Amino acid sequence: MSSNSYTTLKIIDSHTGGEPTRLITSGVPALSGSMIERRQQVAVHHDWIRTSTLLEPRGFEAMVGAILTETDTPDCVAGAIFFNNAGYLNMCIHATIGIAVTLKYMGRISEGSHKIDTPAGVVTVHLHEDESVSVENVPSYRYKSGVEVQTVNHGAVKGDISWGGNWFFLIEGYGPEVKFSNKEALCHFTIDVMNSLESSGIKGANGGLVDHIEVFGAPDNDEADSKNFVMCSGGEYDRSPCGTGTSAKLAALYDKGTLKPGQLWRQASILNTVFTGSVEPTGDGNKVIPTVSGKAWVNGETTVIINPKDPFKFGIQQ
């Protein structure tokens, strides 16, 4: 960016089930190559975009951002690079749902099926007449079951390691009850588990960092099959049911034999917003293609102005 002039970024905000998405639609320097290469270019050379838009004084810690970019992948309407307060994500389904609704708001797509390129792979979104969006995610699978980790403050905890576009540790039967009034205790518990997994060297496939922790409990009503609390990599909990987390759960349920192909699973969040999901086997071992559905709402447009003289032009970083 220029050191002696204002820089601007055009943004459209939305939320999906309560979880915000800040989509940068213009003002980003030129990127090239695959989505993984484009993400790397942003991370190495333009991380100021992430910090400027998500951190205070413009944003807040729970925000998730995305850059709308072109893609060299045929048939894709757009590419997306995802990030949060801590760094960059492989995939984010709540943000993809938000992007689909935002693209419709921008007049770039309409009802029907469209492909979006991401660092995790190409996903297909379906815009429905009722304004919901379904996302066909990347292949997902349960990697290990019944993994025990010895935590610092909560003793031994068992869970499954599952891939849904990010690596998750799925927990049931441990920790505080999953309800909103327990959110502080749930934060302490899940961060303890996350840190203990890392210090114990417990990883996903190919050494992947297990940086999302998902705790399950009973739903509050018959509108869902389960209720979850998801701690994300940046130390903030997901307000939505978490799309990649729902995918990881669906893959684990399928691997256990408790979820059949095409069978619906309704996952409620800590706010009782609901994603609906199902799976179809890929024919490659226990891998499945999850489809996750939810709703998003565009709720703002803004222009971020970066003044080179502003001491917090790139956000407050401590």
Side-chain angles (χ1 to χ4, degrees):
M1 64 169 288
S2 172
S3 60
N4 56 11
S5 61
Y6 292 100
T7 298
T8 60
L9 298 169
K10 296 289 186 181
I11 286 173
I12 299 179
D13 287 330
S14 65
H15 79 86
T16 308
E19 181 74 356
T21 301
R22 173 153 278 190
L23 182 64
I24 302 168
T25 60
S26 67
V28 175
L31 305 172
S32 61
S34 69
M35 295 311 299
I36 292 177
E37 291 169 334
R38 291 170 190 247
R39 180 182 63 181
Q40 184 68 5
Q41 290 163 30
V42 174
V44 173
H45 301 293
H46 309 296
D47 193 51
W48 59 269
I49 297 170
R50 180 185 67 84
T51 60
S52 299
T53 54
L54 296 193
L55 302 185
E56 295 182 40
R58 297 185 188 90
F60 62 96
E61 292 292 315
M63 269 191 164
V64 173
I67 294 172
L68 192 66
T69 180
E70 295 180 352
T71 172
D72 297 329
T73 303
D75 302 327
C76 287
V77 296
I81 298 168
F82 306 106
F83 47 85
N84 64 9
N85 60 317
Y88 295 83
L89 304 170
N90 295 297
M91 179 58 190
C92 185
I93 288 182
H94 99 261
T96 302
I97 292 173
I99 289 170
V101 169
T102 301
L103 287 172
K104 182 180 179 183
Y105 170 80
M106 295 171 69
R108 290 183 52 172
I109 62 174
S110 58
E111 291 175 6
S113 301
H114 310 275
K115 293 181 179 180
I116 296 176
D117 201 3
T118 80
V122 174
V123 298
T124 301
V125 298
H126 306 278
L127 277 72
H128 305 294
E129 289 185 6
D130 65 356
E131 299 185 338
S132 67
V133 177
S134 298
V135 180
E136 291 181 33
N137 197 12
V138 297
S140 303
Y141 64 101
R142 181 168 67 164
Y143 176 57
K144 290 183 178 180
S145 63
V147 176
E148 182 174 290
V149 59
Q150 189 67 40
T151 67
V152 174
N153 300 308
H154 296 87
V157 176
K158 286 186 178 181
D160 293 351
I161 299 175
S162 191
W163 172 259
N166 296 298
W167 283 110
F168 285 81
F169 194 66
L170 310 178
I171 302 170
E172 195 157 5
Y174 295 86
E177 182 181 354
V178 180
K179 58 181 182 179
F180 188 74
S181 60
N182 280 345
K183 66 180 185 298
E184 296 300 328
L186 285 161
C187 284
H188 290 306
F189 172 67
T190 50
I191 289 173
D192 189 20
V193 172
M194 187 186 301
N195 291 338
S196 299
L197 286 168
E198 184 171 8
S199 63
S200 300
I202 298 173
K203 305 285 188 180
N206 301 313
L209 183 64
V210 183
D211 56 1
H212 289 70
I213 311 299
E214 188 168 6
V215 186
F216 298 91
D220 291 349
N221 51 53
D222 60 6
E223 294 180 0
D225 298 297
S226 172
K227 187 173 183 177
N228 70 9
F229 178 89
V230 180
M231 176 56 63
C232 301
S233 57
E236 286 288 333
Y237 69 91
D238 199 321
R239 276 65 172 168
S240 80
C242 185
T244 55
T246 298
S247 296
K249 175 66 172 180
L250 293 170
L253 289 171
Y254 171 80
D255 196 36
K256 291 177 183 178
T258 56
L259 185 72
K260 305 302 181 186
Q263 180 182 346
L264 294 181
W265 177 266
R266 301 164 302 165
Q267 183 62 61
S269 72
I270 196 69
L271 299 181
N272 282 322
T273 54
V274 176
F275 285 168
T276 300
S278 63
V279 301
E280 291 297 333
T282 64
D284 180 12
N286 65 344
K287 291 182 179 179
V288 296
I289 297 294
T291 297
V292 177
S293 301
K295 287 189 175 184
W297 290 264
V298 171
N299 58 4
E301 290 188 67
T302 188
T303 300
V304 165
I305 300 171
I306 299 176
N307 185 334
K309 296 180 181 180
D310 180 355
F312 299 119
K313 57 184 175 293
F314 299 144
I316 298 173
Q317 304 177 59
Q318 298 295 329

